[in-house]
Amino acid sequence: MNNMPVTNVMATLADNRCTPEFVASLYRAGMRGVRINSAHVTPEIIKKMVSVVRSVSRDIAILMDTKGAELRTTATPDNRPFNLETGSVVEIVSSPDRLPDSSVICLNAAMLGSSVAEGTTVFIDDGEIELTVEKSLPDKLLARVTKPGVLGSRKTVNFRGVEINALPAVTYRDKICIEAGIEAGIDIIAHSFVRSKEDVMAVRQLIDGTPITLISKIECRPAVINLDDILEASDGLLCARGDLGAEVGIEHVPAIEMEVIKRCRKAGKPVIVATQFLQTMFTEQTPTRAEAGDIASAVMQGADTLLLCGETAQGNHPRKCVEWMHSIINATLAYRDNGTLI
């Protein structure tokens, strides 16, 4: 265990919470890195958020996600969420400029059409909402809601077992966000929905000559299949368990997480694990024992960083989430390195 890393806490920042006071409170609680999700902010906001974080401490590592080859829903009217009810049939269409409602879900990319078979499961927002495709037409899909939920703006969309090869590795939006990140002085880029080493190299060209660390997010089936090549081309990996579970099935996520960490440790490259570590703390002030065990497991496997996502971006108790994760990590490290139990 002597060569195992000390695991750090990283927290996702939302632009409406990115104030010096908020960042400082997380930093005092044990947070040592922040994540900015470029899918939800403009290049100008990226620069402002980086400036706020740097004003608190220059020791805080700043990671920015790209959007990558990712399907998302469009913005809702006035960014207000709406309900999708069990049993209702909705259209899924490609219309980036159209406003969705309870009868139409709009995607940000080209329509998949007949490439999506009837019976395909559709996961929205990391599986918070589920639908089943009942009819596949050239210009739209008809799908029935099987797991109801509240649909907000720009949520992830996954079609189980369908590879979206037509999506570009780096979008125009990715390019301008990367330029903004370079100008602002971010430390890490985490490229989303990497499918091959070629996807990694497309980003590498854009950051050539900068000190930015390039992390590839493992969150789709092709990434798992091409794991070795992607790791070789990257500076490190991020196991993004939310989209990964929607893409390959939740039952496969623990084994993939362990394999991603193991291969990064063998290669001597950093590894981040993300998503739903403290999901219940969106509303509750203490974690479950299972969540504590999940955090401890990642520490024991050798993860360099554990990333809080919605818990700090949107949840009710962001500082407590950092405190609890930091405390669980420290207790686990005490056991791992010294055998200390209590």
Side-chain angles (χ1 to χ4, degrees), residues 92-94 107 110-120 133-142 159-164:
I92 301 177
V93 301
S94 174
L107 304 183
M111 173 46 59
L112 307 174
S114 58
S115 64
V116 178
E118 294 175 5
T120 297
V133 175
E134 294 194 339
K135 196 165 188 178
S136 181
L137 302 170
D139 60 341
K140 64 184 176 183
L141 303 172
L142 298 180
F159 291 86
R160 173 69 61 80
V162 179
E163 294 184 16
I164 317 300

Side-chain angles (χ1 to χ4, degrees), residues 101-115:
D101 56 40
S102 58
S103 63
V104 180
I105 296 172
C106 306
L107 304 183
N108 65 344
M111 173 46 59
L112 307 174
S114 58
S115 64

